[in-house]
Amino acid sequence: MTIKLSPANESIGLASHIAIEESGLEYELNVIDMKNSEQKSDSYLKINPKARVPSLIVDNIVLTETPAILVYIAQIATDSNLALPNYPMQFAQIQAFNCYLCSTVHVAHAHKHRGNRWVNDEAALAALKANVPTTMAACFDSLEAQYVKGPWVFGDTFSICDPYLFAISSWFESDGVNIDEYPILNAHRQDMMNRASVIKVLDAIST
Amino acid sequence: MTIKLSPANESIGLASHIAIEESGLEYELNVIDMKNSEQKSDSYLKINPKARVPSLIVDNIVLTETPAILVYIAQIATDSNLALPNYPMQFAQIQAFNCYLCSTVHVAHAHKHRGNRWVNDEAALAALKANVPTTMAACFDSLEAQYVKGPWVFGDTFSICDPYLFAISSWFESDGVNIDEYPILNAHRQDMMNRASVIKVLDAIST
């Protein structure tokens, strides 16, 4: 089995990248240069017509969407500490958390620089952008108060939710929300920064 | 095990409602009256602080987010035709499809009536609403050309993706997109309308 991951600098691909590093699986890396719109290049559109990162290519089969990639990595890395629980409700809660991140939190963030997914009007784009600190603060409030137990998302057990939360926590400052007001999320980010996988991944995509 | 599903009229809860009906599981129904904002009532916020539908309560444990609910139903209904494939990549493709619906297609639709999730400015809200036929057409283009094989999403095998697609296909007309231009999606909707589960569910939430 050959596995190739295409993340990008400063993108949600960071979550899948950390997860596959945690998994112990062998993989190749093809970092997409989003600053030069490589995700819209002919060669990348053949991989993912949605023009988004990340994508995971496994023996020529392309898999997209972060929650799906995270679950796949955990399912095939059965010897890793990411192996999924067999109890369906625990697995479902992992899914629910990741779906909240992809469909609500990431979407709130995307209204800052990707508002043209939904509207072209300049004044509307500016209004969407201006509101991002408010909507992201509401998302982080919800994560802090209701969802992240600490030290990891589900308490003492590290899971595929943790790299995903970390990728999103990296947006605190740029989205205008003060992480110091979120002790659980702040500690989570610090704990992630100290993991060998995260140090290695951040180094790989910054060079 | 007691299972209670809270969908709502004309909401994405339709997907989970059809899936649980297809599963053969016993369940109770608690239809939320979104026209009167019941999802923001004190009693419902205790169930789901995100004030969204659907929610599934299983022995007092609350599960939210449509993709997570769909997988959970399929996992516990092992005798049903919704039982999930054991092959991780097949399961991952189901996940990827459902994630695309929740994080891209449903989000595009939500900019029509739920734009205040991201902005309060009246002109911006109007601009977002006006663009929905364009963004939804792009989503349906993608589903028709790249993702839905027909007759079901994954070809001959009915899966949890089909009720989810059906719930979203019900927005064609109200979102200003002509379903006649999408022969695969149109046939899928007709096939769904003829299923006993769908007939029963549509009757249950309309009364």
Side-chain angles (χ1 to χ4, degrees):
Chain A
M1 180 186 280
T2 64
I3 301 177
K4 184 188 285 186
L5 176 70
S6 291
N9 293 325
E10 299 178 18
S11 86
I12 202 63
L14 180 62
S16 298
H17 196 176
I18 295 170
I20 200 166
E21 188 60 40
E22 289 273 349
S23 75
L25 296 167
E26 295 284 325
Y27 66 98
E28 299 169 37
L29 204 59
N30 174 34
V31 180
I32 304 301
D33 182 2
M34 288 180 70
K35 285 178 181 160
N36 287 308
S37 297
E38 188 183 349
Q39 77 276 19
K40 296 177 184 173
S41 66
D42 288 346
S43 60
Y44 189 73
L45 288 175
K46 286 178 188 163
I47 296 171
N48 184 4
K50 291 179 282 191
R52 302 275 180 92
V53 293
S55 58
L56 190 78
I57 306 179
V58 183
D59 293 343
N60 298 319
I61 299 174
V62 177
L63 180 61
T64 61
E65 306 289 339
T66 294
I69 291 172
L70 292 175
V71 165
Y72 179 76
I73 290 169
Q75 282 197 315
I76 64 170
T78 48
D79 293 336
S80 75
N81 62 357
L82 296 172
L84 294 172
N86 284 319
Y87 180 51
M89 182 54 87
Q90 285 180 335
F91 176 61
Q93 297 294 353
I94 288 173
Q95 293 291 101
F97 184 85
N98 286 350
C99 286
Y100 177 63
L101 295 190
C102 83
S103 65
T104 299
V105 188
H106 191 163
V107 167
H109 165 79
H111 283 77
K112 188 173 62 173
H113 292 309
R114 308 284 179 195
N116 56 8
R117 288 177 184 165
W118 304 287
V119 72
N120 295 311
D121 178 80
E122 289 297 331
L125 288 169
L128 289 172
K129 190 172 183 173
N131 209 36
V132 164
T134 304
T135 54
M136 287 301 283
C139 291
F140 287 129
D141 287 350
S142 172
L143 289 167
E144 176 88 9
Q146 282 139 12
Y147 295 103
V148 181
K149 293 178 183 170
W152 307 118
V153 172
F154 285 99
D156 292 331
T157 306
F158 187 88
S159 74
I160 51 174
C161 298
D162 293 297
Y164 203 0
L165 175 62
F166 176 69
I168 282 180
S169 291
S170 71
W171 300 332
F172 258 106
E173 288 77 6
S174 60
D175 282 352
V177 186
N178 183 3
I179 196 170
D180 293 337
E181 295 176 10
Y182 300 84
I184 298 173
L185 299 181
N186 198 1
H188 181 272
R189 183 160 79 171
Q190 297 306 318
D191 288 343
M192 287 295 294
M193 292 289 282
N194 289 329
R195 287 182 82 89
S197 65
V198 175
I199 293 166
K200 183 175 175 184
V201 163
L202 292 179
D203 184 60
I205 57 172
S206 67
T207 55
Chain B
M1 179 186 281
T2 64
I3 301 177
K4 183 188 286 187
L5 176 69
S6 291
N9 292 325
E10 298 177 18
S11 87
I12 202 62
L14 180 62
S16 298
H17 196 176
I18 294 170
I20 200 166
E21 188 61 40
E22 289 273 348
S23 76
L25 295 168
E26 295 284 326
Y27 65 98
E28 299 169 38
L29 204 58
N30 175 33
V31 179
I32 303 300
D33 182 2
M34 288 179 70
K35 286 178 181 161
N36 287 309
S37 297
E38 188 184 349
Q39 77 275 20
K40 296 177 183 172
S41 65
D42 288 346
S43 61
Y44 189 72
L45 288 175
K46 286 178 188 164
I47 295 171
N48 184 5
K50 291 178 282 192
R52 302 275 180 92
V53 293
S55 58
L56 190 78
I57 306 179
V58 183
D59 293 343
N60 298 319
I61 299 174
V62 177
L63 180 62
T64 61
E65 306 290 339
T66 293
I69 291 172
L70 292 175
V71 166
Y72 179 77
I73 290 170
Q75 282 198 315
I76 64 169
T78 49
D79 293 336
S80 76
N81 61 357
L82 296 172
L84 294 173
N86 284 320
Y87 180 52
M89 182 54 87
Q90 286 180 336
F91 176 60
Q93 297 294 355
I94 288 174
Q95 291 291 99
F97 183 86
N98 287 348
C99 286
Y100 177 62
L101 295 190
C102 83
S103 65
T104 298
V105 188
H106 191 163
V107 167
H109 165 78
H111 283 78
K112 189 173 63 172
H113 291 310
R114 308 284 180 194
N116 56 8
R117 288 177 184 165
W118 303 288
V119 73
N120 295 311
D121 177 80
E122 288 297 331
L125 288 169
L128 290 172
K129 189 171 183 173
N131 209 36
V132 165
T134 303
T135 55
M136 286 302 284
C139 291
F140 287 129
D141 287 350
S142 173
L143 289 167
E144 177 87 8
Q146 282 139 13
Y147 295 103
V148 181
K149 294 179 182 168
W152 307 118
V153 172
F154 285 99
D156 292 331
T157 305
F158 187 89
S159 74
I160 50 174
C161 299
D162 294 296
Y164 202 1
L165 175 62
F166 176 69
I168 281 179
S169 292
S170 71
W171 300 332
F172 258 106
E173 288 77 6
S174 59
D175 282 351
V177 186
N178 183 1
I179 196 169
D180 293 337
E181 295 176 10
Y182 300 83
I184 299 174
L185 299 181
N186 198 0
H188 182 272
R189 183 160 79 171
Q190 297 305 318
D191 288 344
M192 287 296 294
M193 292 288 282
N194 291 327
R195 286 182 82 89
S197 65
V198 175
I199 293 166
K200 183 174 173 183
V201 162
L202 292 179
D203 184 60
I205 58 172
S206 67
T207 54

